[in-house]
Amino acid sequence: MNLDFDADDQAFRAEVRAFFADAIPAAWSTRVRAGLRLDPEDLTAYQRMLAARGWGAPTWPIEHGGTGWSPTQLYIFWSEAARADAPAQFHQGLELIGPILFTYGSAEQRAYYLPRIISGEDWWCQGYSEPGAGSDLAALRTRADHDGDAYVLNGQKMWTSYAHVATQMFVLARTSTEARRQQGISLILVDMATPGLRIRPIATLDEKHHTNEVFLDDVRVPAANLVGEEGQGWNYGKVLLDRERMVSAATAIFLPQTVRGIRDAARRRRIGSVPLAETSGFAGKLAQFEIEVIALQTMVLRLMGDAAAGADSGPRGSMVKLRWSDLIQQGTTLWTEAIGPEAAHWQAIDGAPLAEDMPYPMQGALHSRVTTIYGGSSEIQHDIIARRALGL
């Protein structure tokens, strides 16, 4: 991947930088730096802002409404977004089901769903994990039985992020029982307003509501909502998980935001008369973290270079995802260390002012625990690396 920007690239970077300079509210910065997602209404507003500029789907081909940008342009776009403390776009419609639809979906599905993803009209959630079928997805038991011109779904999904605000869900369900567990699974689109759907929130460490249980009781959806071929859902699901790892990898470009959050907090806090950032112990930790962020970003560039050349990047996506999840945990933990004991205060006590940045860094530190699970747990990533890179 060539990062010697030519005149066109430099002009593009200036255009993107000017856009972000005016578009991003300052109120978003601390949450974004802490690795937290913005509220759905803010992310939807951001998506609509990008769509109005023609940048709603940066990674999509032009014929499906995307920008058709080169890897160099994508790198410029994401690095300028990170520089401006802009959030990563919400990915479940844009980077997961959207590409599956324009690759395997019917003409009718592409015509209806893709523009609504780009415009932010639809918010998608992912109906994959179940009780007893999280990392072992082939163990899923939710059924989709043919009944005339419809499928009738029955089962339960777990850890379904943002199901409570989603308008659409893509679901893996069994349409037949085969000897091999990976067979007989299909990918089906479900309107969240369909009768028979129930959602129950799951409380998480960070005290934010973003994940849920979803119950499907005789949920009847048109047979036309099947994506691709019946029984091929396992193959589509693997493509989706690979893309989720790649999305996580690209998110590494946003890690410098966390570096800025740590540095600002460490400059504000004083140990005696000396800013924490200037003490040798903390300065060493921050420098080590920043070096590792730069090293990971270099690996992301190699990944993007492979993609541009049409080369198989092997297990590199798993390596980057694994390291990114480690670093976001380390970074938010270091940020709370920079704040000091006040980082434990979720709310002001007896009218005392809350520490600047709080509660976002602590919420980010707690929320980051989940990053070692989604897109395949760290154990699964280690297994992929062991098999594909080490031949074990």
Side-chain angles (χ1 to χ4, degrees), residues 6 28 37 59 65 102 108 116 120 130 140 192-193 198 212 231 256-257 278 306 341:
D6 61 21
W28 290 359
R37 285 205 179 96
T59 64
F102 65 63
E108 291 76 16
R116 296 167 65 91
E130 299 182 4
L140 68 84
M192 293 299 283
R198 290 183 295 120
N212 307 273
Q257 295 175 329
E278 297 178 14
D306 286 345

Side-chain angles (χ1 to χ4, degrees), residues 30 51 103 106 120 130 156 165 237 245 306 318 321 344 351:
T30 308
T103 304
S106 66
E130 299 182 4
Q156 179 186 354
V165 296
R245 287 170 200 135
D306 286 345
S318 290
K321 191 271 175 180

Side-chain angles (χ1 to χ4, degrees), residues 342 345 347-355:
E342 290 80 5
H345 298 175
Q347 295 179 335
I349 298 174
D350 297 330
L354 198 62

Side-chain angles (χ1 to χ4, degrees), residues 376-392:
S377 68
S378 292
E379 288 77 8
I380 288 176
Q381 309 310 323
H382 281 121
D383 186 54
I384 291 171
I385 294 165
R387 284 188 288 106
R388 299 187 64 185
L390 304 175
L392 298 176

Side-chain angles (χ1 to χ4, degrees), residues 127-130 137-146 151-157 169-178 181-190 216 219 221 226-227 229-234 236-237:
Y128 271 27
S129 296
E130 299 182 4
L137 198 55
L140 68 84
R141 292 182 295 179
T142 293
R143 292 198 55 80
D145 297 310
H146 255 306
Y151 286 104
V152 179
L153 280 75
N154 282 283
Q156 179 186 354
K157 296 295 178 180
M169 175 168 60
F170 49 96
V171 174
L172 283 180
R174 292 200 174 278
T175 43
S176 63
T177 303
E178 312 288 344
R181 294 190 310 162
Q182 289 82 359
Q183 296 176 326
I185 296 173
S186 298
L187 181 62
I188 297 172
L189 311 178
V190 178
L216 302 103
V219 174
V221 302
L226 173 74
V227 177
E229 297 180 40
E230 188 174 280
Q232 293 301 309
W234 178 258
Y236 306 146

Side-chain angles (χ1 to χ4, degrees), residues 316-377:
R316 194 167 290 134
S318 290
M319 294 176 183
V320 173
K321 191 271 175 180
L322 190 64
R323 193 69 189 122
W324 165 77
S325 59
D326 286 341
L327 287 177
I328 190 64
Q329 292 182 359
Q330 290 178 26
T332 48
T333 300
L334 192 58
W335 191 345
T336 59
E337 181 181 335
I339 293 172
E342 290 80 5
H345 298 175
W346 287 77
Q347 295 179 335
I349 298 174
D350 297 330
L354 198 62
E356 191 167 343
D357 296 349
M358 283 298 294
Y360 301 125
M362 180 59 82
Q363 282 185 323
L366 296 173
H367 175 73
S368 68
R369 302 300 107 181
V370 76
T371 61
T372 52
I373 299 174
Y374 57 51
S377 68

Side-chain angles (χ1 to χ4, degrees), residues 95-145:
E95 298 297 346
L96 299 186
I97 192 62
I100 292 295
L101 288 175
F102 65 63
T103 304
Y104 302 106
S106 66
E108 291 76 16
Q109 288 169 345
R110 292 196 296 269
Y112 180 74
Y113 292 113
L114 297 183
R116 296 167 65 91
I117 291 173
I118 295 175
S119 69
E121 189 170 356
D122 277 337
W123 183 290
W124 285 83
C125 63
Q126 181 186 52
Y128 271 27
S129 296
E130 299 182 4
S135 295
D136 182 14
L137 198 55
L140 68 84
R141 292 182 295 179
T142 293
R143 292 198 55 80
D145 297 310

